[in-house]
């Protein structure tokens, strides 16, 4: 299967000068494009020097190696070979304007009874404010307050860099679950409000967490994708559990040059959401070709988990533990 590049999250810039050497790193998110016998796994990584600053220059695929990679899904799979094939650096051009949108539908009472999504949302807001100059807002849906300009969303905190205000607002969501899932109508409102709030040199990103399929919107996913494309907004989606619409949410993220990351259970939400927060900043995108053995079952559309490690020049190792939704199976060349 020929390598496929992901569209960059943000415009690429020419990087010059002497590069610091990475001293640590972590894998934040990933996507996969697969045939029946192989996958190209694209990883969003953050590499840092001794001072914790991102390292994006002086890098090549040959500096990375994969170890003990396993692939879990509905079938029986054995990884035969993993080869790094491409690497690109992505750099954020300015400040960030980010609405954090939390699903508060009634199903969350069963899918997240311990409110782990709220702890994850709080950590995500903190990570967004710590990563670069940013303003963050907190929304939820469905609407319960019946105040202000919104028909399907509650705005709990408008755009701010006040982490304490955001943390308090996130905590206030506990025990307030009710109603259906007007996901697309809510996202349209969020993007329109974000447009009005945008200031000079602010890049626009939406991070949304949901556990279900849209059940109460008058608009479609395509309407959200069209508006986001027009407004140059990237949408990052975390899907909790098995009842989300994997195909539509993956298409929404891909169509807006964002990312869709599934989380099979609430215990994984902290890593999933904070990983998305980290993924919107300057990243290194590493593509690797994964070949399955002849004895493996053929890959099909579905949810997969990639586990193992990625090593940089035998100097440090990063844990690989990602859930990835494969929405289509391509023909091998």
């Amino acid at each position: 299967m020929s390598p496929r590049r992901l569209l960059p999250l943000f415009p690429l810039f020419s990087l010059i000068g002497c590069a610091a050497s990475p001293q640590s790193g972590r894998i934040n998110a990933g996507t996969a494009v697969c045939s029946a016998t192989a996958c190209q796994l694209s990883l969003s990584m953050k590499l840092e020097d001794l001072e914790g600053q991102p390292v994006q220059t002086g890098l090549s695929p040959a500096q990375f190696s994969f170890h003990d990679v396993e692939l879990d899904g509905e079938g029986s799979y054995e990884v035969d070979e993993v080869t790094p094939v491409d690497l690109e650096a992505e750099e954020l051009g300015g400040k960030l304007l980010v609405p954090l949108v939390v699903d508060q539908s009634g199903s969350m009472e069963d899918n997240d009874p311990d409110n782990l999504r709220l702890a994850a949302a709080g950590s995500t807001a903190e990570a967004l404010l710590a990563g670069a100059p940013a303003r963050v807002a907190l929304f939820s849906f469905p609407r319960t307050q019946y105040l202000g300009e919104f028909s399907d969303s509650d705005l709990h905190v408008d755009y701010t860099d006040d982490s304490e205000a955001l943390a308090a607002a996130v905590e206030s969501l506990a025990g307030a679950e009710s109603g259906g899932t007007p996901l697309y109508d809510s996202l349209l409102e969020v993007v329109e409000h974000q447009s009005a709030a945008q200031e000079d040199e602010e890049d626009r990103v939406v991070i949304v967490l949901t556990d279900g399929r849209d059940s109460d919107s008058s608009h479609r996913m395509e309407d959200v994708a069209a508006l986001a494309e027009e407004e140059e907004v990237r949408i990052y989606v975390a899907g909790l559990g098995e009842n989300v619409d994997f195909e539509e949410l993956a298409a929404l993220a891909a169509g807006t040059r964002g990312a869709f990351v599934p989380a099979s259970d609430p215990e994984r939400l902290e890593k999933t959401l904070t990983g998305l927060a980290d993924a919107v900043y300057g990243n290194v995108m590493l593509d690797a070709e994964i070949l399955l053995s002849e004895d493996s079952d053929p890959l099909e559309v579905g949810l997969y988990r990639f586990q193992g490690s990625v090593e940089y020049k035998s100097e440090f190792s990063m844990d690989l533990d990602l859930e990835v939704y494969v929405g289509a199976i391509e023909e091998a060349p």
Side-chain angles (χ1 to χ4, degrees):
M1 183 175 60
S2 59
R4 169 179 289 185
R5 292 188 178 187
L6 288 180
L7 289 171
L9 305 182
F10 292 97
L12 299 181
F13 293 84
S14 174
L15 300 173
I16 60 175
C18 297
S21 176
Q23 301 298 314
S24 64
R26 56 191 176 274
I27 297 170
N28 295 316
T31 59
V33 177
C34 299
S35 69
T37 59
C39 284
Q40 181 175 289
L41 181 63
S42 298
L43 301 178
S44 169
M45 307 185 300
K46 178 66 68 66
L47 304 176
E48 297 178 337
D49 62 18
L50 282 173
E51 297 181 352
Q53 297 302 309
V55 176
Q56 296 178 287
T57 58
L59 302 170
S60 72
Q63 295 169 332
F64 297 86
S65 58
F66 287 70
H67 301 274
D68 302 320
V69 175
E70 297 180 355
L71 176 58
D72 294 326
E74 291 295 326
S76 176
Y77 311 105
E78 181 177 349
V79 175
D80 187 38
E81 183 180 354
V82 184
T83 306
V85 294
D86 195 18
L87 183 145
E88 285 190 87
E90 300 168 344
E91 186 174 347
L92 185 62
K95 300 177 181 179
L96 275 182
L97 188 67
V98 188
L100 183 58
V101 187
V102 179
D103 186 341
Q104 284 286 96
S105 59
S107 59
M108 280 293 184
E109 290 183 309
D110 295 324
N111 291 333
D112 182 25
D114 297 323
N115 290 318
L116 296 180
R117 74 190 182 284
L118 302 185
S123 297
T124 302
E126 185 176 352
L128 286 165
L129 294 176
R135 293 192 295 149
V136 179
L138 178 66
F139 289 83
S140 68
F141 64 86
R143 182 184 185 187
T144 61
Q145 297 179 351
Y146 299 99
L147 300 171
E149 65 192 271
F150 306 104
S151 300
D152 296 280
S153 314
D154 285 338
L155 173 59
H156 302 277
V157 177
D158 213 337
Y159 292 102
T160 182
D161 59 3
D162 187 338
S163 59
E164 292 184 359
L166 288 164
V170 169
E171 291 180 4
S172 73
L173 297 180
E177 302 86 355
S178 66
T181 308
L183 173 61
Y184 300 140
D185 284 355
S186 176
L187 286 178
L188 284 171
E189 292 182 341
V190 168
V191 172
E192 290 170 353
H193 179 77
Q194 185 187 37
S195 178
Q198 184 181 22
E199 297 178 354
D200 292 341
E201 299 183 354
E202 284 185 320
D203 291 305
R204 295 167 59 187
V205 174
V206 174
I207 297 179
V208 57
L209 164 65
T210 182
D211 74 336
R213 299 168 181 264
D214 190 296
S215 61
D216 292 289
S217 288
S218 58
H219 296 87
R220 302 176 302 161
M221 178 274 289
E222 291 81 2
D223 299 321
V224 180
L227 179 61
E229 182 179 9
E230 178 183 344
E231 297 286 338
E232 298 183 348
V233 176
R234 289 163 174 82
I235 298 179
Y236 294 77
V237 184
L240 171 62
E242 300 179 353
N243 294 321
V244 298
D245 193 327
F246 292 99
E247 185 173 350
E248 284 218 346
L249 294 180
L252 175 61
T256 61
R257 293 189 292 171
F260 168 64
V261 182
S264 56
D265 58 71
E267 298 289 340
R268 296 183 62 83
L269 275 179
E270 185 88 16
K271 179 178 179 180
T272 299
L273 276 176
T274 54
L276 286 180
D278 220 8
V280 303
Y281 293 112
N283 282 279
V284 173
M285 300 297 296
L286 177 66
D287 290 351
E289 187 82 6
I290 297 178
L291 299 178
L292 300 183
S293 72
E294 294 181 355
D295 297 329
S296 292
D297 292 339
L299 294 169
E300 299 179 347
V301 170
L303 187 64
Y304 294 90
R305 186 172 180 179
F306 292 86
Q307 293 178 283
S309 64
V310 180
E311 191 171 82
Y312 172 75
K313 294 174 59 174
S314 301
E315 295 179 5
F316 64 85
S317 182
M318 297 173 284
D319 290 337
L320 172 63
D321 186 3
L322 293 174
E323 290 182 309
V324 174
Y325 176 70
V326 176
I329 299 298
E330 300 190 344
E331 293 187 7

